[in-house]
Amino acid sequence: MRKSLASCALAVAALLAATALPAAADPALTTRPLPLPLGATLGTAVESTASGVYGTAGVPGRSRAVRWTGFRVVPLEPLDGVSTVIDANDLGAVAGAHNGRATAWIAGRRLDLHPAGFDTSEAIGLSDLGHVLVRATTATSTQLSLWRAGHTRLLADYPFPEPSEATISRRGDVAARVFTTTSERTLVWDAAGGAPRTVSGQSALLPIEFTRTGELLAQEWRVVGRDPIWHAQVVRGDARTELPPLDPTGNAFYGGSVDGRYTPAHRANGSGVVVGSSYIPGVGSHATMWRDGRPIDLTPDGAYAYAVEVNERETVLIRDCVEVDADLDCELSLLRGQDRAEIALPDGATEVSVRLDPYRDQVVGTYRGAAGQTVPFVTR
């Protein structure tokens, strides 16, 4: 079953793979709605970890952070405002915002991490060691800071209200693209402290995420003639490796998000397998896996196909789309080896967001029901 999305990420990346993994049709995976707290009418499932599934639940205009363990829902706070969940880790810590202020929910407590003097802020990521990455903005400036155990470390402060892309590793390293009045740079801060180092390239890299083994996945944007070309990069220390596309004249990029933005995701696993997409000029975008630096075409017949995430079992979450009346009509599936299972949403439902559990072949996410309500779900 295909579900329309207002915006699947634009295609980019490419090169006919030396090795293709044909996908056999399997019975569809069905979705099961997650329960909501008493009085809640809508919800979102944002992250799946070893400690549970995290998201929000509430009524129009009000929401609170919640955790699902199995099919039991546990509110993380009273329903007294608007909460947003952005990230969660395996130890049960949660990062996001509450009433427009950076917030972390740790050990049953809500922590207000809003920096003084800023209009809005949000906690956009956290490590397994208790670091919380905070981004704050005013009408004229942006600040990045790192909080841990009551202490805040200023990382960057620059004169633009730019929602700079930033990501944090499991041990607390941070990478971000930051701006000055004349240029932009990609910086990496070590969790142990010290001055940041600049990641050099033909242009500032867009940091995507740190892998579970510490490498930084990033995109480099280059213009060849009139055409922009994305180059997928793996950065470790001062060494950079470019992941080849399926076609040498095309793009290689990481996944495709629902709203056109890159979001934290498991685009690499602990074994060093990386997934993303490659755009083949004149053909389309194919979901791609890189093993030992070699591209493998996961969707040889794709036109707009994206490998969104990979877990520790090397199962890949794929979004495969076709163009219908100038829009993209997409289906979701899980691919493991040669076995592919479609994820079937209820009739009349459209996908809002999805995440792949890093350890199990289970997808969590949110769909919009036929009546317009958002529904958190897991596959079964």
Side-chain angles (χ1 to χ4, degrees):
M1 174 185 306
R2 292 185 182 271
K3 300 296 174 188
S4 293
L5 293 178
S7 52
C8 278
L10 296 178
V12 182
L15 213 234
L16 269 177
T19 308
L21 297 182
D26 273 4
L29 297 170
T30 58
T31 56
R32 179 176 177 183
L34 289 166
L36 300 176
L38 183 65
T41 59
L42 49 82
T44 62
V46 175
E47 184 65 88
S48 182
T49 75
S51 59
V53 175
Y54 295 86
T56 63
V59 297
R62 300 176 67 194
S63 61
R64 55 179 160 174
V66 297
R67 178 181 72 241
W68 288 277
T69 53
F71 283 89
R72 176 172 170 260
V73 61
V74 179
L76 300 182
E77 62 171 38
L79 182 57
D80 61 352
V82 178
S83 294
T84 303
V85 170
I86 296 176
D87 196 12
N89 67 19
D90 288 343
L91 302 179
V94 182
H98 180 72
N99 293 341
R101 300 169 66 91
T103 301
W105 293 269
I106 299 176
R109 296 175 54 212
R110 181 210 296 161
L111 303 177
D112 186 342
L113 306 181
H114 180 77
F118 285 84
D119 299 332
T120 62
S121 63
E122 55 186 352
I124 59 176
L126 42 76
S127 75
D128 286 346
L129 302 179
H131 304 85
V132 183
L133 180 59
V134 174
R135 179 170 58 205
T137 60
T138 68
T140 59
S141 64
T142 300
Q143 181 187 94
L144 289 174
S145 60
L146 192 63
W147 179 93
R148 186 181 186 222
H151 300 282
T152 299
R153 174 186 172 194
L154 177 63
L155 301 180
D157 199 344
Y158 50 93
F160 290 101
E162 222 21 90
S164 66
E165 300 294 340
T167 187
I168 186 170
S169 74
R170 293 167 67 88
R171 73 174 205 136
D173 304 318
V174 173
R177 184 173 58 169
V178 300
F179 303 84
T180 69
T181 55
T182 58
S183 66
E184 58 185 80
R185 294 182 299 162
T186 302
L187 302 177
V188 176
W189 293 264
D190 189 85
R197 70 176 188 273
T198 300
V199 180
S200 60
Q202 294 186 23
S203 61
L205 296 182
L206 174 66
I208 305 299
E209 69 163 353
F210 284 96
T211 70
R212 291 179 174 267
T213 51
E215 295 90 354
L216 174 65
L217 301 185
Q219 297 284 167
E220 185 173 19
W221 173 278
R222 303 174 195 163
V223 177
V224 180
R226 293 185 175 182
D227 299 322
I229 302 293
W230 283 108
H231 292 263
Q233 307 279 330
V234 179
V235 181
R236 186 172 186 86
D238 294 327
R240 291 175 52 185
T241 302
E242 185 168 312
L243 296 180
L246 293 171
D247 183 288
T249 63
N251 293 309
F253 67 111
Y254 295 116
S257 66
V258 175
D259 59 3
R261 292 190 60 193
Y262 294 103
T263 54
H266 315 294
R267 294 186 175 92
N269 65 17
S271 301
V273 172
V274 179
V275 298
S277 301
S278 289
Y279 178 72
I280 303 173
V283 177
S285 178
H286 289 196
T288 305
M289 173 188 287
W290 286 270
R291 183 183 284 113
D292 299 324
R294 286 182 59 230
I296 301 170
D297 194 341
L298 301 180
T299 54
D301 299 324
Y304 301 97
Y306 310 88
V308 181
E309 302 188 63
V310 63
N311 67 13
E312 298 305 319
R313 296 163 56 89
E314 291 195 16
T315 299
V316 184
L317 175 60
I318 290 177
R319 180 178 289 114
D320 200 349
C321 309
V322 296
E323 191 170 4
V324 178
D325 297 329
D327 198 2
L328 289 181
D329 189 30
C330 302
E331 69 177 18
L332 295 165
S333 60
L334 286 183
L335 177 66
R336 188 177 186 201
Q338 296 186 356
D339 298 323
R340 184 167 174 174
E342 181 185 333
I343 299 170
L345 300 180
D347 290 340
T350 57
E351 175 206 335
V352 175
S353 63
V354 285
R355 295 303 305 268
L356 175 62
D357 188 278
Y359 310 108
R360 299 174 296 170
D361 291 349
Q362 183 179 67
V363 174
V364 306
T366 307
Y367 63 76
R368 193 173 304 280
Q373 78 282 18
T374 54
V375 180
F377 72 87
V378 296
T379 57
R380 57 178 179 177

